[in-house]
Amino acid sequence: MRIAQDSKDLPGKWYNIIPDLDFDIPLPMGSSGYPLSYHDLEPVASSALIDQELERNIQEVSIPREVAAIYSDWRPTPLYRAEKLEQSLGTPAHIFYKYEGVSPSGGHEMNTAVPQAYYATLDEGVKRLVTATANGEWGISLAIACNYFGIQCKIYMVRSSYDQKVHGRYAMEMLGAEVVPSPSDKTGAGKKILSQDSNSPGSLGIALSEAFEEARSRDDTKFSWGTVMNHVLLHQTVIGLEARLQLRRADAKPDIIISSVGGGSAFGGLIFPFYKERDQEIKMIAVETAAAPSLSNGRYAYDYGDAEGLSPLLKMYTLGHSFVPPGIRAGGLRYHGISPLISALYREKQIEARSYTQRQVIAAATDFARAEGMIPSPECSYAVRAVLDEALDCKQKKKSKNIFFLMDASSNFDLAAFRDFVDEVVEDQPSLDKEVQTALSQLPEVPAH
Amino acid sequence: MRIAQDSKDLPGKWYNIIPDLDFDIPLPMGSSGYPLSYHDLEPVASSALIDQELERNIQEVSIPREVAAIYSDWRPTPLYRAEKLEQSLGTPAHIFYKYEGVSPSGGHEMNTAVPQAYYATLDEGVKRLVTATANGEWGISLAIACNYFGIQCKIYMVRSSYDQKVHGRYAMEMLGAEVVPSPSDKTGAGKKILSQDSNSPGSLGIALSEAFEEARSRDDTKFSWGTVMNHVLLHQTVIGLEARLQLRRADAKPDIIISSVGGGSAFGGLIFPFYKERDQEIKMIAVETAAAPSLSNGRYAYDYGDAEGLSPLLKMYTLGHSFVPPGIRAGGLRYHGISPLISALYREKQIEARSYTQRQVIAAATDFARAEGMIPSPECSYAVRAVLDEALDCKQKKKSKNIFFLMDASSNFDLAAFRDFVDEVVEDQPSLDKEVQTALSQLPEVPAH
């Protein structure tokens, strides 16, 4: 059941959580061990985005008129109450979810792609954005946004996805983006990997290294992050800001808020506005894949965002930048680290983390699809598993709670995943302890000052 | 740019166009040459749907409360003005489109799947619906709707799609539907085909024959049509009824209305409410694929809806029920006939028809996607080609017109089509004249009374 929607729920400002935290968010650092300044970041990032990344005092950032006009093409996104699911579970809990799948790309990534493309037009001489993508959800979003503002778009796509998940590649190319399989022989980082393994399937970390290198080497090109960074989470707060108003209208204060986490941008955008205004305890659960359990099994340390150490060092829960997660359907959750903001909240015990294997999420996703008539994306299925666990816990304890979660994308862009659900062919990976230990032993040594 | 949406735009009644026509709509007929009665149709169809199919006097049919509650999960669907496309074309025309891709299945098919599943619950002893699907869009919609109402769902899926377009199959199975590749050895019709060609790739006509046969043979099972029939077009009028109110709010009277046509249900649902209320001439264009040009190249005659002659005879523009359209990406447009209502309107010169080849629609779909940030489905790309032609005609004549078209689905469920767009690997079929002549020579002979 859709909660009544009102175009006035679209906020005029994004919410920067940092001033409201009573602990520090460590700054990005260079390998020299000094915090990076505006000027250090300038060669790769748009100036407005650097300001947003480093901002520690201003709580609200106005959404530019040009961005708001595009947001309003699909925002506010709908909020649903999953009554049919509640009934099928026989739970006294009330389950709500916000659905970001109505965006032009079918996912929440549009929320940051649009402002990033817009801000690129404000920097003199900038004509191109370069980024990295795995399955293509982020690349498609950035390609669409670049078209809106007449910016060129170059995308390094993980080679195994480029070869297998061809729909993502073709969609980006149809949208006019230049798509290069990574590792490529176009960059030093790519050549280095290929010299070690000419058949390398690539990884998001490698693709990020190639994109960084290109952004550094060209004055007309800036790098674009799809997740992890503060400014990306800032843009994603439109999700939580809208949801807060929508839930208020439904007279439902959330007791539990749940989202899957890959880099952490959807989760952050969802919970920050609730974190600020909570007048009661809210359990906030970040759900990871057991194939890349950064919060659950990682170390809180400065590490690189990419495989080759070209990105800034970020203080985050990480499995080590050399860790390559096993192949799972939920490609959006395959990343070695997690947003510094989410990492700090976890460090301070403000949020909880939980991880599931692929096999554990299959039944939950199927239950949800049959009750609600909407098939969750592979990534969102992890959140759905946690939602069902919490709802069944309410049933057992005969206690009603408001459970609110994020459906961050439509399922449509990763249909091959359905085969796993139906045939239950999923093999859960064996323990990753050894791989994680190896990668953690390769964390960069950062000089102390 | 989205035109402001208002939940009040969702109509309370569907619109039956037949009483407003000043010409007759021929009734479905048996092979004996007599019009079919309620009782003739009862073995295969739900009683409420038979009433709606045969209704010739009542203009409005109330949407049941149970159906309206589900419609409101995604309806009213958004209406957009394609300003960025107008600018890129440099046309004085104003281009509007209604987007049905926000439904749970991603397409307009949900509009009739929901009432069909609901009405099945009203007939005593009915527990199952059986249908036929090509790529799966219709089957997914019906599977979702059946879950809402606790009805079982059985789907005969064209074997070539079952093998190749596996995402559709897996989605239906994840939703709990039973999916059988057609031709199967489960029905007489299927066995007959297999005895002639054990490797038959199947066709929608064959799958329909199998589904009919099953519905006839089981008391607990009714057949469900995805398009063609009057009652399906009736349900689809929610599209046009909403659009009329939305365009009025935008102060835009449409001069030209455009939609792709396969069986004709989306087109009919779009134009009927405008047909009734027009106080000026509106050019209404049905856009076909040149691979199945029923209106442009077919004959107006009684013909079967399925391959084996198990369905009622319908008076329609048809290429002959034995005609098998060549394989094209827009599987939803591959059908030998077209709705009797649309056929009659065309016969009476109330609407226009136009056909394009695959190659002709590729550039148009790409132009649209890059300007508007939304990739049209393969089916909708045919309409987009006509929209661009009309908009460029306005440019040449320096005349502003309001062009309104239907984006009847999200593109996401047929992503392989992108490859054709990007690589331009599409080979347009040679002339189909010979195949059409052969099929037309096999039209049923209907006794005159």
Side-chain angles (χ1 to χ4, degrees):
Chain A
M1 188 185 70
R2 182 159 62 169
I3 307 295
Q5 232 170 311
D6 191 325
S7 61
K8 287 191 288 290
D9 293 341
L10 180 54
K13 295 172 178 178
W14 295 300
Y15 167 58
N16 179 17
I17 195 176
I18 300 178
D20 285 327
L21 298 174
D22 50 16
F23 43 89
D24 286 336
I25 299 298
L27 286 162
M29 208 176 260
S31 50
S32 61
Y34 285 103
L36 293 175
S37 69
Y38 180 95
H39 292 290
D40 295 320
L41 295 166
E42 213 177 3
V44 291
S46 297
S47 49
L49 297 175
I50 304 172
D51 286 339
Q52 293 176 358
E53 185 64 33
L54 301 178
E55 180 60 55
R56 291 301 187 266
N57 299 311
I58 301 172
Q59 282 179 322
E60 294 186 318
V61 178
S62 286
I63 300 175
R65 193 172 42 83
E66 294 82 350
V67 173
I70 294 178
Y71 275 175
S72 67
D73 273 355
W74 72 92
R75 305 205 70 87
T77 58
L79 178 80
Y80 289 99
R81 167 128 178 240
E83 285 183 309
K84 294 186 278 279
L85 179 67
E86 294 166 15
Q87 285 157 20
S88 74
L89 295 172
T91 177
H94 292 189
I95 302 173
F96 299 87
Y97 63 99
K98 186 150 175 78
Y99 181 54
E100 291 289 305
V102 294
S103 89
S105 72
H108 69 280
E109 295 88 350
M110 288 301 300
N111 298 330
T112 187
V114 173
Q116 290 198 43
Y118 167 72
Y119 287 127
T121 66
L122 304 187
D123 283 351
E124 205 181 312
V126 174
K127 291 177 187 157
R128 299 166 83 242
L129 287 178
V130 61
T131 196
T133 199
N135 296 354
E137 287 88 349
W138 165 240
I140 290 168
S141 298
L142 193 64
I144 292 171
C146 284
N147 281 338
Y148 290 154
F149 294 104
I151 296 279
Q152 294 168 46
C153 185
K154 166 104 172 247
I155 297 160
Y156 287 92
M157 183 175 189
V158 177
R159 184 178 290 276
S160 58
S161 299
Y162 183 91
D163 291 338
Q164 290 160 31
K165 307 214 165 180
V166 291
H167 56 265
R169 171 192 158 195
Y170 289 122
M172 290 184 277
E173 290 180 344
M174 186 172 173
L175 290 160
E178 182 184 354
V179 185
V180 175
S182 167
S184 76
D185 60 4
K186 306 284 194 287
T187 65
K191 279 180 202 159
K192 183 177 160 204
I193 301 286
L194 287 174
S195 72
Q196 291 155 6
D197 175 6
S198 62
N199 290 317
S200 166
S203 73
L204 188 56
I206 296 169
L208 284 165
S209 296
E210 293 204 89
F212 263 112
E213 189 178 323
E214 177 162 338
R216 277 190 187 173
S217 70
R218 287 184 59 155
D219 286 344
D220 67 347
T221 302
K222 298 292 185 185
F223 178 85
S224 176
W225 283 96
T227 181
V228 175
M229 303 302 279
N230 299 353
H231 64 274
V232 178
L233 276 68
L234 174 78
H235 302 153
Q236 294 292 356
T237 58
V238 288
I239 301 174
L241 291 165
E242 282 180 10
R244 214 179 48 188
L245 297 178
Q246 292 172 319
L247 283 168
R248 214 176 271 169
R249 195 168 318 114
D251 209 16
K253 283 193 177 185
D255 300 297
I256 306 171
I257 305 183
I258 295 171
S259 173
S260 303
V261 287
S265 70
F267 179 73
L270 180 72
I271 65 163
F272 290 172
F274 289 93
Y275 182 86
K276 178 190 175 186
E277 292 220 341
R278 68 195 189 287
D279 51 7
Q280 54 165 19
E281 202 172 326
I282 304 179
K283 184 152 100 172
M284 297 176 171
I285 308 173
V287 189
E288 305 188 294
T289 169
S294 321
L295 292 173
S296 308
N297 290 33
R299 184 179 299 169
Y300 190 54
Y302 268 105
D303 194 10
Y304 295 110
D306 67 318
E308 292 297 307
L310 302 178
S311 87
L313 285 163
L314 304 170
K315 187 73 178 280
M316 59 182 179
Y317 280 89
T318 177
L319 300 163
H321 64 278
S322 62
F323 178 73
V324 179
I328 54 165
R329 284 297 178 191
L333 306 186
R334 283 183 75 239
Y335 187 64
H336 66 272
I338 199 153
S339 150
L341 275 171
I342 304 302
S343 293
L345 283 167
Y346 184 64
R347 176 74 168 188
E348 299 289 332
K349 302 197 193 321
Q350 302 296 303
I351 60 171
E352 299 180 19
R354 190 177 293 183
S355 73
Y356 295 108
T357 66
Q358 286 197 90
R359 193 176 279 279
Q360 289 172 318
V361 307
I362 287 176
T366 304
D367 288 350
F368 183 89
R370 293 188 184 180
E372 288 293 310
M374 193 177 278
I375 299 178
S377 71
E379 285 79 4
C380 185
S381 299
Y382 289 79
V384 169
R385 170 77 269 169
V387 169
L388 265 64
D389 284 354
E390 293 294 324
L392 292 171
D393 186 61
C394 288
K395 183 181 183 179
Q396 203 189 1
K397 294 178 177 157
K398 298 197 168 98
K399 204 169 168 190
S400 178
K401 285 189 180 172
N402 290 325
I403 303 172
F404 171 50
F405 78 102
L406 181 67
M407 182 85 86
D408 66 331
S410 74
S411 63
N412 302 345
F413 278 116
D414 199 4
L415 290 156
F418 297 147
R419 178 177 359 206
D420 302 341
F421 287 119
V422 172
D423 296 350
E424 298 198 19
V425 296
V426 180
E427 283 303 321
D428 277 333
Q429 66 279 355
S431 163
L432 297 169
D433 289 351
K434 206 171 133 191
E435 288 78 0
V436 171
Q437 287 314 315
T438 307
L440 286 177
S441 72
Q442 293 164 2
L443 280 177
E445 286 178 34
V446 186
H449 298 284
Chain B
M1 187 186 71
R2 182 159 62 168
I3 307 295
Q5 233 170 308
D6 191 325
S7 60
K8 287 192 289 292
D9 293 341
L10 179 55
K13 297 171 177 179
W14 294 300
Y15 167 58
N16 178 17
I17 194 177
I18 301 179
D20 285 328
L21 298 175
D22 50 16
F23 46 89
D24 286 337
I25 300 297
L27 286 161
M29 208 176 258
S31 50
S32 62
Y34 287 103
L36 293 175
S37 70
Y38 180 95
H39 292 289
D40 295 321
L41 295 166
E42 213 176 3
V44 292
S46 298
S47 49
L49 298 176
I50 304 173
D51 286 340
Q52 292 176 359
E53 186 63 32
L54 302 178
E55 180 59 56
R56 292 301 188 266
N57 299 310
I58 300 172
Q59 282 179 321
E60 292 185 320
V61 179
S62 286
I63 300 174
R65 195 173 41 83
E66 294 82 350
V67 173
I70 294 177
Y71 274 177
S72 67
D73 273 355
W74 72 91
R75 307 205 67 86
T77 58
L79 178 80
Y80 290 98
R81 169 133 176 234
E83 284 183 309
K84 293 186 278 278
L85 179 66
E86 294 166 16
Q87 285 158 19
S88 74
L89 295 172
T91 178
H94 292 189
I95 302 173
F96 299 87
Y97 63 99
K98 186 149 175 79
Y99 181 54
E100 291 289 305
V102 293
S103 90
S105 72
H108 69 281
E109 294 88 350
M110 289 301 301
N111 298 330
T112 188
V114 173
Q116 291 198 44
Y118 167 72
Y119 287 128
T121 66
L122 304 186
D123 284 351
E124 205 182 313
V126 173
K127 291 177 187 156
R128 299 167 83 242
L129 286 178
V130 61
T131 196
T133 198
N135 295 356
E137 287 87 350
W138 166 239
I140 290 168
S141 299
L142 194 64
I144 291 171
C146 284
N147 281 338
Y148 289 154
F149 294 104
I151 297 278
Q152 294 167 45
C153 185
K154 166 103 170 247
I155 297 160
Y156 287 93
M157 184 175 186
V158 177
R159 185 178 289 276
S160 58
S161 298
Y162 182 92
D163 292 338
Q164 290 160 29
K165 306 215 165 179
V166 292
H167 57 265
R169 170 191 158 196
Y170 289 120
M172 290 184 276
E173 290 179 344
M174 184 171 175
L175 291 160
E178 181 184 354
V179 185
V180 175
S182 167
S184 77
D185 58 4
K186 307 282 194 289
T187 66
K191 280 180 200 159
K192 184 178 157 203
I193 302 287
L194 288 173
S195 73
Q196 292 156 3
D197 176 6
S198 62
N199 291 316
S200 167
S203 73
L204 188 56
I206 295 168
L208 284 165
S209 295
E210 293 204 89
F212 264 113
E213 190 178 322
E214 177 163 338
R216 276 191 187 173
S217 69
R218 289 185 61 154
D219 286 345
D220 67 347
T221 302
K222 298 291 184 186
F223 177 85
S224 177
W225 283 96
T227 180
V228 174
M229 304 301 280
N230 299 353
H231 64 274
V232 178
L233 276 67
L234 175 76
H235 303 153
Q236 294 292 356
T237 58
V238 288
I239 301 173
L241 290 165
E242 281 178 13
R244 213 179 48 188
L245 297 177
Q246 291 172 318
L247 283 168
R248 215 176 269 167
R249 193 163 325 109
D251 208 14
K253 284 193 177 185
D255 300 297
I256 306 170
I257 304 183
I258 295 172
S259 172
S260 303
V261 288
S265 71
F267 179 71
L270 179 73
I271 65 163
F272 290 172
F274 289 93
Y275 182 85
K276 179 190 176 188
E277 292 221 342
R278 68 197 190 285
D279 52 5
Q280 54 164 19
E281 202 172 326
I282 304 180
K283 184 152 102 173
M284 297 176 171
I285 308 173
V287 188
E288 307 188 293
T289 169
S294 321
L295 291 173
S296 307
N297 290 34
R299 185 180 298 170
Y300 190 54
Y302 268 106
D303 195 9
Y304 295 110
D306 68 317
E308 291 298 306
L310 302 178
S311 87
L313 285 162
L314 304 171
K315 188 74 177 279
M316 59 182 181
Y317 279 89
T318 177
L319 300 163
H321 63 278
S322 62
F323 178 73
V324 179
I328 54 165
R329 284 296 178 192
L333 306 185
R334 283 183 73 239
Y335 186 64
H336 67 272
I338 199 153
S339 153
L341 276 171
I342 304 302
S343 293
L345 283 167
Y346 184 63
R347 176 76 166 187
E348 298 289 331
K349 302 197 190 326
Q350 302 296 302
I351 60 172
E352 298 178 21
R354 190 178 293 182
S355 73
Y356 295 108
T357 66
Q358 287 198 90
R359 194 175 278 280
Q360 288 173 318
V361 308
I362 287 175
T366 303
D367 287 350
F368 183 89
R370 294 187 183 181
E372 289 292 310
M374 191 176 283
I375 298 178
S377 71
E379 286 79 4
C380 185
S381 300
Y382 289 79
V384 169
R385 170 77 269 169
V387 169
L388 265 62
D389 284 354
E390 294 294 324
L392 292 172
D393 185 60
C394 288
K395 182 180 183 180
Q396 204 189 3
K397 293 178 177 157
K398 299 200 167 95
K399 203 168 168 189
S400 177
K401 285 189 180 172
N402 289 324
I403 303 172
F404 170 50
F405 79 102
L406 182 66
M407 183 86 85
D408 67 331
S410 73
S411 63
N412 303 346
F413 277 115
D414 199 5
L415 290 156
F418 297 146
R419 180 181 354 210
D420 302 342
F421 287 118
V422 171
D423 295 349
E424 299 197 20
V425 297
V426 180
E427 283 302 318
D428 278 332
Q429 67 278 355
S431 164
L432 297 168
D433 289 352
K434 208 172 132 190
E435 289 77 1
V436 170
Q437 287 314 316
T438 305
L440 286 177
S441 72
Q442 293 162 3
L443 281 177
E445 285 179 34
V446 186
H449 298 283

